[in-house]
Structures are given as structure tokens and as C-alpha cells.
Amino acid sequence: MKKRLFGIIVALLVLSGIWLAPGISQAQAIVTVDYETLYTQGVSEGIIQSVDVSLEAWIEANENEYKQVYQDGLKDDVYDASMSYEKWIKLNNYGQPPVADENWEEVTQNPMVRGVYKGYTVKKGDILITNGTSSSGLLGHAAIANGNEYILDIPGKGKTTRQLTTREWMDNYDKHGWIKVYRLKDGSVANAAATWADKNYYSTKGTSKQDIFPKYGLTGSRYAKNPTYCSKIVLQAFYFGTGSKPVVQVFPSLVTVYDLPNYFSKAYKPQQVKYFQ
């Protein structure tokens, strides 16, 4: 009888939108998510496009994908345990990819021997954003092309930074979701940022031999290089690697992937130049 009563209580909690997050204190374990209010806020802010994403579809994505990433982040202590789901999903751009300028045009390329993927050439300083994976506590994934044929990132918990060829990186994420490539109009700024990322997160000598091995984590100062995470590396590169130029306008305590292009100043805001889907 007691077992049956417990089952009924659990079922009622699930149906009412209340869920249990393992590894969290009892005071924080039961959380009620007002999806409808959150969805309305996202629409009013222009982040959620109701024409493309219905309330039902958004709730389903939260329940089946986003919530687990949030819970993993709490369990792994990658951010403060006081972070509520509502605050977290807002920081993560309501789970929505960055919106490209309606007038964006794909940049034509002159194919090179290396750095080419499906006929497209990735250029040093390009920013790559994908939904092909999510790390513990962070939706999506970001990287920077630290050379005309290499891409630098940190893949997630328990990992350190790495350098992959363009084809290796693209092959890895293209089969799991979409990839958006962003580029600054000022090539010298992009080049300087890429060089900074390479020498501060891969090789102090700028060679192919890695001698920098930071840990993955969302805690710590936004300016520190250890621990670090994917989108933080990208923003740091354009913040520290571009001298006195006002490239970065906002440097938040948590640099979320899908909001990454919006942290740049208007004059240097990266534009989408390619979309693999």
C-alpha cells in the first residue's frame, strides 16, 4: 500500500511540472518550472521565434534535453548551486541558437589544400557555434579557428583544450546537428584573437606541440584561464588579444554559447558567413 502511494505521489509531481534533481540538497531538489511564463518572456525579448518554435515544442526540448544539461551542471559543480533553472535557461539564450542578420550572405571562398570542409574554407579567427553537443551545464558548443587549417576548443568535463584539423572538427559535429560560422569584418582583429587563443590555450610557442593543459569548468573568474570552457576561450581571445580596440562590449560572468555574438560591440560584431545543417 505504501509503495503504491509513493508511486502516485511521484506521478503527481511529474504531471504538475515538478521534478527531482539528483545530488542537490533537499531544499533545492523540488523545483517548479513555469514554462509558459518563460516562453512568453523569450518571445517578448525576440529570442524565441514563436513562428518557428511553439510552446509545446519548447517545453519538450526543455524536458528532454535542456533540463538534463542543467542537472549535470549542478551535479558536477560547474556553477554555483544557487543557480535556478529559470536563470540558467535565460543565460543560455532560452536554448535558442543566435539569430543571424536577415540579410546575411554566404561568403564565397577560394578553396585551399587545408581548412576546407564541403567546399568551404574556414579562416583564421572564425568563430564556430554548434548544437552538435552540450557540455555539463552549458548548452551548445563553441570554438575558434586558431589557424587557417586548425580549430581550437575544449570539449567538456574531464577534458582539456585541443587542436583539430578543420575536417576533423567539422566531421565530429556536423553529423550531430548544425554548425554556424561567424566572422569579423576586420581580419587583423580576427587574426590577433586567434593567435592569442593559440598561445594561451594550446602552445606558448605557437607550435603544433601542446604545452598548455587547462581544466574544464564554469567556475572561477571570467578573466582566468584555468578552469575554462569553450565560449569563455573565444570571448577571452577577442577581449585580451585585440589590444585597446573596443571589440568586446559585454563580458558576463557566464559566457553562454548561443549568446556569444551579442557580447561584441556593434562595430566588431561577428556576422554569420556559413551555415551547415
Side-chain angles (χ1 to χ4, degrees), residues 58-84:
W58 190 72
I59 291 176
E60 183 178 356
N62 277 268
E63 288 292 318
N64 297 331
E65 180 184 354
Y66 308 156
K67 188 182 292 182
Q68 185 60 55
V69 177
Y70 168 74
Q71 289 178 319
D72 288 344
L74 287 177
K75 184 175 63 177
D76 296 334
D77 294 323
V78 294
Y79 43 68
D80 192 276
S82 64
M83 175 81 73
S84 69

PDB file of all heavy atoms in Angstrom, residues 58-84:
ATOM      1  N   TRP A  58       8.887  23.852 -27.361  1.00  0.00           N
ATOM      2  CA  TRP A  58       9.890  24.403 -26.456  1.00  0.00           C
ATOM      3  C   TRP A  58       9.890  23.660 -25.126  1.00  0.00           C
ATOM      4  O   TRP A  58      10.941  23.356 -24.570  1.00  0.00           O
ATOM      5  CB  TRP A  58       9.625  25.890 -26.244  1.00  0.00           C
ATOM      6  CG  TRP A  58      10.735  26.591 -25.524  1.00  0.00           C
ATOM      7  CD1 TRP A  58      11.964  26.905 -26.012  1.00  0.00           C
ATOM      8  CD2 TRP A  58      10.722  27.042 -24.161  1.00  0.00           C
ATOM      9  NE1 TRP A  58      12.718  27.540 -25.054  1.00  0.00           N
ATOM     10  CE2 TRP A  58      11.979  27.641 -23.912  1.00  0.00           C
ATOM     11  CE3 TRP A  58       9.762  27.021 -23.146  1.00  0.00           C
ATOM     12  CZ2 TRP A  58      12.316  28.198 -22.679  1.00  0.00           C
ATOM     13  CZ3 TRP A  58      10.091  27.583 -21.916  1.00  0.00           C
ATOM     14  CH2 TRP A  58      11.345  28.157 -21.678  1.00  0.00           C
ATOM     15  N   ILE A  59       8.704  23.346 -24.619  1.00  0.00           N
ATOM     16  CA  ILE A  59       8.604  22.584 -23.370  1.00  0.00           C
ATOM     17  C   ILE A  59       9.225  21.208 -23.549  1.00  0.00           C
ATOM     18  O   ILE A  59       9.960  20.715 -22.675  1.00  0.00           O
ATOM     19  CB  ILE A  59       7.130  22.443 -22.929  1.00  0.00           C
ATOM     20  CG1 ILE A  59       6.566  23.809 -22.494  1.00  0.00           C
ATOM     21  CG2 ILE A  59       6.998  21.437 -21.788  1.00  0.00           C
ATOM     22  CD1 ILE A  59       5.090  23.792 -22.141  1.00  0.00           C
ATOM     23  N   GLU A  60       8.955  20.580 -24.678  1.00  0.00           N
ATOM     24  CA  GLU A  60       9.513  19.255 -24.951  1.00  0.00           C
ATOM     25  C   GLU A  60      11.040  19.298 -24.977  1.00  0.00           C
ATOM     26  O   GLU A  60      11.714  18.409 -24.441  1.00  0.00           O
ATOM     27  CB  GLU A  60       8.985  18.728 -26.281  1.00  0.00           C
ATOM     28  CG  GLU A  60       9.462  17.319 -26.603  1.00  0.00           C
ATOM     29  CD  GLU A  60       8.894  16.784 -27.900  1.00  0.00           C
ATOM     30  OE1 GLU A  60       8.053  17.473 -28.524  1.00  0.00           O
ATOM     31  OE2 GLU A  60       9.298  15.679 -28.311  1.00  0.00           O
ATOM     32  N   ALA A  61      11.604  20.348 -25.590  1.00  0.00           N
ATOM     33  CA  ALA A  61      13.061  20.489 -25.642  1.00  0.00           C
ATOM     34  C   ALA A  61      13.636  20.676 -24.243  1.00  0.00           C
ATOM     35  O   ALA A  61      14.693  20.129 -23.900  1.00  0.00           O
ATOM     36  CB  ALA A  61      13.442  21.667 -26.532  1.00  0.00           C
ATOM     37  N   ASN A  62      12.936  21.454 -23.407  1.00  0.00           N
ATOM     38  CA  ASN A  62      13.377  21.641 -22.026  1.00  0.00           C
ATOM     39  C   ASN A  62      13.369  20.326 -21.258  1.00  0.00           C
ATOM     40  O   ASN A  62      14.324  19.994 -20.555  1.00  0.00           O
ATOM     41  CB  ASN A  62      12.467  22.654 -21.311  1.00  0.00           C
ATOM     42  CG  ASN A  62      12.858  24.092 -21.577  1.00  0.00           C
ATOM     43  OD1 ASN A  62      13.629  24.686 -20.826  1.00  0.00           O
ATOM     44  ND2 ASN A  62      12.337  24.654 -22.658  1.00  0.00           N
ATOM     45  N   GLU A  63      12.284  19.589 -21.389  1.00  0.00           N
ATOM     46  CA  GLU A  63      12.125  18.343 -20.635  1.00  0.00           C
ATOM     47  C   GLU A  63      13.086  17.253 -21.101  1.00  0.00           C
ATOM     48  O   GLU A  63      13.615  16.499 -20.287  1.00  0.00           O
ATOM     49  CB  GLU A  63      10.681  17.839 -20.765  1.00  0.00           C
ATOM     50  CG  GLU A  63       9.662  18.673 -20.001  1.00  0.00           C
ATOM     51  CD  GLU A  63       9.835  18.535 -18.492  1.00  0.00           C
ATOM     52  OE1 GLU A  63      10.059  17.405 -18.023  1.00  0.00           O
ATOM     53  OE2 GLU A  63       9.744  19.565 -17.798  1.00  0.00           O
ATOM     54  N   ASN A  64      13.297  17.171 -22.411  1.00  0.00           N
ATOM     55  CA  ASN A  64      14.071  16.063 -22.965  1.00  0.00           C
ATOM     56  C   ASN A  64      15.544  16.365 -23.206  1.00  0.00           C
ATOM     57  O   ASN A  64      16.324  15.448 -23.433  1.00  0.00           O
ATOM     58  CB  ASN A  64      13.447  15.593 -24.288  1.00  0.00           C
ATOM     59  CG  ASN A  64      12.041  15.052 -24.100  1.00  0.00           C
ATOM     60  OD1 ASN A  64      11.702  14.535 -23.045  1.00  0.00           O
ATOM     61  ND2 ASN A  64      11.215  15.181 -25.123  1.00  0.00           N
ATOM     62  N   GLU A  65      15.927  17.647 -23.162  1.00  0.00           N
ATOM     63  CA  GLU A  65      17.318  17.987 -23.462  1.00  0.00           C
ATOM     64  C   GLU A  65      17.915  18.995 -22.486  1.00  0.00           C
ATOM     65  O   GLU A  65      18.876  18.706 -21.784  1.00  0.00           O
ATOM     66  CB  GLU A  65      17.411  18.539 -24.886  1.00  0.00           C
ATOM     67  CG  GLU A  65      18.826  18.931 -25.301  1.00  0.00           C
ATOM     68  CD  GLU A  65      18.864  19.571 -26.671  1.00  0.00           C
ATOM     69  OE1 GLU A  65      17.820  19.621 -27.363  1.00  0.00           O
ATOM     70  OE2 GLU A  65      19.943  20.059 -27.050  1.00  0.00           O
ATOM     71  N   TYR A  66      17.329  20.195 -22.417  1.00  0.00           N
ATOM     72  CA  TYR A  66      17.939  21.278 -21.652  1.00  0.00           C
ATOM     73  C   TYR A  66      18.047  20.961 -20.165  1.00  0.00           C
ATOM     74  O   TYR A  66      19.075  21.225 -19.529  1.00  0.00           O
ATOM     75  CB  TYR A  66      17.158  22.584 -21.821  1.00  0.00           C
ATOM     76  CG  TYR A  66      16.901  23.001 -23.249  1.00  0.00           C
ATOM     77  CD1 TYR A  66      15.838  23.835 -23.576  1.00  0.00           C
ATOM     78  CD2 TYR A  66      17.726  22.564 -24.287  1.00  0.00           C
ATOM     79  CE1 TYR A  66      15.600  24.231 -24.885  1.00  0.00           C
ATOM     80  CE2 TYR A  66      17.495  22.957 -25.597  1.00  0.00           C
ATOM     81  CZ  TYR A  66      16.424  23.786 -25.890  1.00  0.00           C
ATOM     82  OH  TYR A  66      16.190  24.166 -27.180  1.00  0.00           O
ATOM     83  N   LYS A  67      16.995  20.393 -19.608  1.00  0.00           N
ATOM     84  CA  LYS A  67      16.957  20.143 -18.167  1.00  0.00           C
ATOM     85  C   LYS A  67      18.082  19.214 -17.718  1.00  0.00           C
ATOM     86  O   LYS A  67      18.683  19.391 -16.660  1.00  0.00           O
ATOM     87  CB  LYS A  67      15.600  19.563 -17.787  1.00  0.00           C
ATOM     88  CG  LYS A  67      15.383  19.449 -16.280  1.00  0.00           C
ATOM     89  CD  LYS A  67      14.034  18.817 -15.976  1.00  0.00           C
ATOM     90  CE  LYS A  67      12.901  19.725 -16.376  1.00  0.00           C
ATOM     91  NZ  LYS A  67      11.586  19.126 -16.033  1.00  0.00           N
ATOM     92  N   GLN A  68      18.399  18.218 -18.533  1.00  0.00           N
ATOM     93  CA  GLN A  68      19.446  17.273 -18.176  1.00  0.00           C
ATOM     94  C   GLN A  68      20.808  17.958 -18.141  1.00  0.00           C
ATOM     95  O   GLN A  68      21.647  17.673 -17.288  1.00  0.00           O
ATOM     96  CB  GLN A  68      19.480  16.113 -19.176  1.00  0.00           C
ATOM     97  CG  GLN A  68      20.471  15.008 -18.799  1.00  0.00           C
ATOM     98  CD  GLN A  68      20.160  14.379 -17.453  1.00  0.00           C
ATOM     99  OE1 GLN A  68      19.044  13.899 -17.232  1.00  0.00           O
ATOM    100  NE2 GLN A  68      21.123  14.388 -16.545  1.00  0.00           N
ATOM    101  N   VAL A  69      21.039  18.892 -19.074  1.00  0.00           N
ATOM    102  CA  VAL A  69      22.299  19.636 -19.102  1.00  0.00           C
ATOM    103  C   VAL A  69      22.428  20.483 -17.839  1.00  0.00           C
ATOM    104  O   VAL A  69      23.498  20.574 -17.235  1.00  0.00           O
ATOM    105  CB  VAL A  69      22.375  20.535 -20.356  1.00  0.00           C
ATOM    106  CG1 VAL A  69      23.653  21.372 -20.342  1.00  0.00           C
ATOM    107  CG2 VAL A  69      22.310  19.689 -21.627  1.00  0.00           C
ATOM    108  N   TYR A  70      21.312  21.094 -17.428  1.00  0.00           N
ATOM    109  CA  TYR A  70      21.289  21.898 -16.195  1.00  0.00           C
ATOM    110  C   TYR A  70      21.586  21.023 -14.971  1.00  0.00           C
ATOM    111  O   TYR A  70      22.409  21.379 -14.125  1.00  0.00           O
ATOM    112  CB  TYR A  70      19.920  22.552 -16.050  1.00  0.00           C
ATOM    113  CG  TYR A  70      19.659  23.174 -14.690  1.00  0.00           C
ATOM    114  CD1 TYR A  70      20.266  24.367 -14.316  1.00  0.00           C
ATOM    115  CD2 TYR A  70      18.786  22.561 -13.772  1.00  0.00           C
ATOM    116  CE1 TYR A  70      20.018  24.939 -13.073  1.00  0.00           C
ATOM    117  CE2 TYR A  70      18.534  23.127 -12.534  1.00  0.00           C
ATOM    118  CZ  TYR A  70      19.160  24.309 -12.187  1.00  0.00           C
ATOM    119  OH  TYR A  70      18.919  24.872 -10.961  1.00  0.00           O
ATOM    120  N   GLN A  71      20.943  19.882 -14.903  1.00  0.00           N
ATOM    121  CA  GLN A  71      21.155  18.981 -13.776  1.00  0.00           C
ATOM    122  C   GLN A  71      22.587  18.468 -13.721  1.00  0.00           C
ATOM    123  O   GLN A  71      23.181  18.355 -12.645  1.00  0.00           O
ATOM    124  CB  GLN A  71      20.182  17.799 -13.864  1.00  0.00           C
ATOM    125  CG  GLN A  71      18.726  18.181 -13.583  1.00  0.00           C
ATOM    126  CD  GLN A  71      17.787  17.000 -13.715  1.00  0.00           C
ATOM    127  OE1 GLN A  71      17.918  16.183 -14.631  1.00  0.00           O
ATOM    128  NE2 GLN A  71      16.829  16.907 -12.828  1.00  0.00           N
ATOM    129  N   ASP A  72      23.157  18.179 -14.889  1.00  0.00           N
ATOM    130  CA  ASP A  72      24.546  17.728 -14.940  1.00  0.00           C
ATOM    131  C   ASP A  72      25.476  18.806 -14.408  1.00  0.00           C
ATOM    132  O   ASP A  72      26.456  18.517 -13.722  1.00  0.00           O
ATOM    133  CB  ASP A  72      24.935  17.378 -16.377  1.00  0.00           C
ATOM    134  CG  ASP A  72      24.279  16.089 -16.867  1.00  0.00           C
ATOM    135  OD1 ASP A  72      23.779  15.325 -16.019  1.00  0.00           O
ATOM    136  OD2 ASP A  72      24.252  15.861 -18.093  1.00  0.00           O
ATOM    137  N   GLY A  73      25.167  20.067 -14.732  1.00  0.00           N
ATOM    138  CA  GLY A  73      25.983  21.166 -14.252  1.00  0.00           C
ATOM    139  C   GLY A  73      25.953  21.294 -12.743  1.00  0.00           C
ATOM    140  O   GLY A  73      26.978  21.545 -12.101  1.00  0.00           O
ATOM    141  N   LEU A  74      24.773  21.113 -12.151  1.00  0.00           N
ATOM    142  CA  LEU A  74      24.652  21.170 -10.693  1.00  0.00           C
ATOM    143  C   LEU A  74      25.385  20.001 -10.039  1.00  0.00           C
ATOM    144  O   LEU A  74      26.123  20.167  -9.068  1.00  0.00           O
ATOM    145  CB  LEU A  74      23.173  21.134 -10.290  1.00  0.00           C
ATOM    146  CG  LEU A  74      22.351  22.403 -10.541  1.00  0.00           C
ATOM    147  CD1 LEU A  74      20.896  22.162 -10.146  1.00  0.00           C
ATOM    148  CD2 LEU A  74      22.915  23.584  -9.753  1.00  0.00           C
ATOM    149  N   LYS A  75      25.197  18.838 -10.619  1.00  0.00           N
ATOM    150  CA  LYS A  75      25.815  17.636 -10.056  1.00  0.00           C
ATOM    151  C   LYS A  75      27.336  17.703 -10.114  1.00  0.00           C
ATOM    152  O   LYS A  75      28.021  17.243  -9.209  1.00  0.00           O
ATOM    153  CB  LYS A  75      25.326  16.408 -10.829  1.00  0.00           C
ATOM    154  CG  LYS A  75      25.824  15.074 -10.284  1.00  0.00           C
ATOM    155  CD  LYS A  75      25.180  13.915 -11.033  1.00  0.00           C
ATOM    156  CE  LYS A  75      25.573  13.924 -12.497  1.00  0.00           C
ATOM    157  NZ  LYS A  75      25.014  12.750 -13.235  1.00  0.00           N
ATOM    158  N   ASP A  76      27.859  18.304 -11.191  1.00  0.00           N
ATOM    159  CA  ASP A  76      29.304  18.378 -11.374  1.00  0.00           C
ATOM    160  C   ASP A  76      29.922  19.645 -10.794  1.00  0.00           C
ATOM    161  O   ASP A  76      31.117  19.887 -10.957  1.00  0.00           O
ATOM    162  CB  ASP A  76      29.638  18.289 -12.869  1.00  0.00           C
ATOM    163  CG  ASP A  76      29.236  16.956 -13.476  1.00  0.00           C
ATOM    164  OD1 ASP A  76      29.168  15.970 -12.724  1.00  0.00           O
ATOM    165  OD2 ASP A  76      28.981  16.904 -14.695  1.00  0.00           O
ATOM    166  N   ASP A  77      29.076  20.491 -10.152  1.00  0.00           N
ATOM    167  CA  ASP A  77      29.559  21.728  -9.518  1.00  0.00           C
ATOM    168  C   ASP A  77      30.282  22.646 -10.493  1.00  0.00           C
ATOM    169  O   ASP A  77      31.271  23.298 -10.149  1.00  0.00           O
ATOM    170  CB  ASP A  77      30.505  21.407  -8.352  1.00  0.00           C
ATOM    171  CG  ASP A  77      29.793  20.701  -7.210  1.00  0.00           C
ATOM    172  OD1 ASP A  77      28.634  21.039  -6.944  1.00  0.00           O
ATOM    173  OD2 ASP A  77      30.398  19.803  -6.597  1.00  0.00           O
ATOM    174  N   VAL A  78      29.785  22.734 -11.712  1.00  0.00           N
ATOM    175  CA  VAL A  78      30.420  23.621 -12.681  1.00  0.00           C
ATOM    176  C   VAL A  78      29.931  25.055 -12.548  1.00  0.00           C
ATOM    177  O   VAL A  78      30.482  25.964 -13.162  1.00  0.00           O
ATOM    178  CB  VAL A  78      30.196  23.134 -14.138  1.00  0.00           C
ATOM    179  CG1 VAL A  78      30.884  21.818 -14.375  1.00  0.00           C
ATOM    180  CG2 VAL A  78      28.721  23.035 -14.463  1.00  0.00           C
ATOM    181  N   TYR A  79      28.883  25.273 -11.760  1.00  0.00           N
ATOM    182  CA  TYR A  79      28.471  26.611 -11.388  1.00  0.00           C
ATOM    183  C   TYR A  79      27.832  26.550 -10.025  1.00  0.00           C
ATOM    184  O   TYR A  79      27.586  25.475  -9.483  1.00  0.00           O
ATOM    185  CB  TYR A  79      27.508  27.237 -12.402  1.00  0.00           C
ATOM    186  CG  TYR A  79      26.425  26.331 -12.930  1.00  0.00           C
ATOM    187  CD1 TYR A  79      25.386  25.880 -12.105  1.00  0.00           C
ATOM    188  CD2 TYR A  79      26.421  25.926 -14.249  1.00  0.00           C
ATOM    189  CE1 TYR A  79      24.405  25.056 -12.595  1.00  0.00           C
ATOM    190  CE2 TYR A  79      25.436  25.091 -14.747  1.00  0.00           C
ATOM    191  CZ  TYR A  79      24.428  24.662 -13.916  1.00  0.00           C
ATOM    192  OH  TYR A  79      23.457  23.825 -14.392  1.00  0.00           O
ATOM    193  N   ASP A  80      27.570  27.700  -9.434  1.00  0.00           N
ATOM    194  CA  ASP A  80      27.030  27.776  -8.084  1.00  0.00           C
ATOM    195  C   ASP A  80      25.691  27.067  -7.981  1.00  0.00           C
ATOM    196  O   ASP A  80      24.834  27.206  -8.851  1.00  0.00           O
ATOM    197  CB  ASP A  80      26.872  29.247  -7.684  1.00  0.00           C
ATOM    198  CG  ASP A  80      26.605  29.395  -6.203  1.00  0.00           C
ATOM    199  OD1 ASP A  80      25.430  29.264  -5.816  1.00  0.00           O
ATOM    200  OD2 ASP A  80      27.555  29.637  -5.456  1.00  0.00           O
ATOM    201  N   ALA A  81      25.488  26.323  -6.891  1.00  0.00           N
ATOM    202  CA  ALA A  81      24.274  25.536  -6.701  1.00  0.00           C
ATOM    203  C   ALA A  81      23.023  26.395  -6.543  1.00  0.00           C
ATOM    204  O   ALA A  81      21.904  25.888  -6.633  1.00  0.00           O
ATOM    205  CB  ALA A  81      24.428  24.622  -5.483  1.00  0.00           C
ATOM    206  N   SER A  82      23.205  27.696  -6.314  1.00  0.00           N
ATOM    207  CA  SER A  82      22.047  28.578  -6.172  1.00  0.00           C
ATOM    208  C   SER A  82      21.462  28.971  -7.530  1.00  0.00           C
ATOM    209  O   SER A  82      20.418  29.629  -7.588  1.00  0.00           O
ATOM    210  CB  SER A  82      22.449  29.852  -5.414  1.00  0.00           C
ATOM    211  OG  SER A  82      23.412  30.593  -6.154  1.00  0.00           O
ATOM    212  N   MET A  83      22.105  28.585  -8.612  1.00  0.00           N
ATOM    213  CA  MET A  83      21.618  28.898  -9.957  1.00  0.00           C
ATOM    214  C   MET A  83      20.288  28.191 -10.211  1.00  0.00           C
ATOM    215  O   MET A  83      20.215  26.974 -10.275  1.00  0.00           O
ATOM    216  CB  MET A  83      22.642  28.457 -11.001  1.00  0.00           C
ATOM    217  CG  MET A  83      22.194  28.616 -12.456  1.00  0.00           C
ATOM    218  SD  MET A  83      22.379  30.281 -13.096  1.00  0.00           S
ATOM    219  CE  MET A  83      24.165  30.380 -13.281  1.00  0.00           C
ATOM    220  N   SER A  84      19.222  28.956 -10.382  1.00  0.00           N
ATOM    221  CA  SER A  84      17.907  28.365 -10.652  1.00  0.00           C
ATOM    222  C   SER A  84      17.797  27.981 -12.114  1.00  0.00           C
ATOM    223  O   SER A  84      18.534  28.492 -12.968  1.00  0.00           O
ATOM    224  CB  SER A  84      16.796  29.357 -10.309  1.00  0.00           C
ATOM    225  OG  SER A  84      16.809  30.451 -11.223  1.00  0.00           O
TER     226      SER A  84
END
